[in-house]
Amino acid sequence: FVDAVKRRDFEETLKHLVDLVNNNPEMDWPFLSNPDSTVWVNYPVDRQVLNKDLSHRDWYKGVSREWKPYISSVYKLIVGEQDLAVAVSVPVFDEEGKAIGILSTAQSAVFLQKTIGEVGFNLDANITLIDQEGHIICSSRFPYTKLVIDYPPLGFVEKAMKGGKGDVEVRDASDQNRVKYASFAPVEGIGWSVIVEKAKSEVFRSEISYLA
């Protein structure tokens, strides 16, 4: 792959992109750009995009800032099923560590939603993944609607968005007698946060069952 990128071999690099999608169906429209942001190969092939300056795009600014992998905030796709997705971009280096390109693709939030749903938690807990702007990427609490929505503006959310972690008690705005606990922690390296919520009554029930 690296050799094909170095030679800017369109056909050979395209084969790698096809294999990437075939082996990872949750990914969409991968493409390779030069270090200056101009795209020179994509799949499916769209020649209208080739050789365009995309230095204004979020993914390019994110990667080129320190030449490290970058994951965007969640957004709505404008093609296909118009699902939610995040852009994933990684720099491509040659054997000497020189940046020779950027590989980018869209990661479907549907896949992430399914993954969250398969997590083996027997805790009667809700799990939510939010991005660096507080948008919900996927959640077992909030139904998937193909719309970008924000996590409720609770006091701890801003701290979570800044990479903090902790445990807090949260009272229902419509019923102050309904109390739950929320734990939040960062997903290291990509700016996301995981929030796990559980009703206070369920926490106590679990503790009683454990002691019994």
Side-chain angles (χ1 to χ4, degrees):
F1 175 71
V2 171
D3 184 60
V5 174
K6 285 173 61 178
R7 293 184 284 107
R8 287 197 56 178
D9 186 323
F10 182 94
E11 295 299 333
E12 185 64 26
T13 305
L14 180 60
K15 291 179 182 179
H16 286 287
L17 298 188
V18 172
D19 288 341
L20 179 65
V21 172
N22 288 340
N23 294 322
N24 303 275
E26 73 278 3
M27 294 184 177
D28 186 52
W29 203 69
F31 62 88
L32 250 297
S33 73
N34 290 319
D36 67 358
S37 84
T38 54
V39 177
W40 59 273
V41 59
N42 53 23
Y43 176 73
V45 177
D46 182 355
R47 297 190 180 278
Q48 293 184 343
V49 179
L50 301 184
N51 299 316
K52 284 192 174 182
D53 178 2
L54 299 179
S55 58
H56 61 287
R57 294 292 183 88
D58 180 64
W59 60 266
Y60 180 73
K61 292 178 180 179
V63 171
S64 62
R65 188 177 298 118
E66 296 181 353
W67 291 106
K68 294 181 179 179
Y70 175 77
I71 299 181
S72 75
S73 55
V74 67
Y75 65 95
K76 187 177 180 66
L77 292 169
I78 60 174
V79 297
E81 298 295 326
Q82 297 188 344
D83 287 315
L84 298 182
V86 293
V88 181
S89 299
V90 295
V92 180
F93 299 102
D94 64 13
E95 297 84 352
E96 299 177 353
K98 177 183 177 182
I100 58 174
I102 301 172
L103 172 63
S104 300
T105 186
Q107 171 79 64
S108 168
V110 174
F111 171 77
L112 296 172
Q113 183 81 22
K114 180 180 178 182
T115 301
I116 288 291
E118 293 175 348
V119 173
F121 276 76
N122 294 317
L123 304 174
D124 297 314
N126 287 311
I127 307 170
T128 301
L129 189 63
I130 64 172
D131 67 19
Q132 52 268 52
E133 297 182 20
H135 304 321
I136 296 173
I137 301 170
C138 55
S139 176
S140 61
R141 174 186 173 191
F142 301 96
Y144 181 73
T145 63
K146 295 188 179 183
L147 297 175
V148 178
I149 60 175
D150 292 336
Y151 191 87
L154 301 174
F156 67 88
V157 176
E158 185 173 351
K159 184 176 180 180
M161 291 164 54
K162 294 179 179 179
K165 62 180 179 179
D167 303 288
V168 295
E169 182 179 285
V170 181
R171 293 186 178 272
D172 193 313
S174 61
D175 184 355
Q176 289 296 307
N177 291 320
R178 294 178 60 186
V179 180
K180 61 185 175 182
Y181 291 111
S183 298
F184 57 97
V187 181
E188 297 296 339
I190 60 177
W192 295 352
S193 295
V194 173
I195 301 172
V196 179
E197 303 169 275
K198 190 170 184 178
K200 185 176 182 179
S201 59
E202 293 297 332
V203 173
F204 288 151
R205 184 176 299 131
S206 297
E207 290 179 349
I208 292 172
S209 297
Y210 176 77
L211 292 174

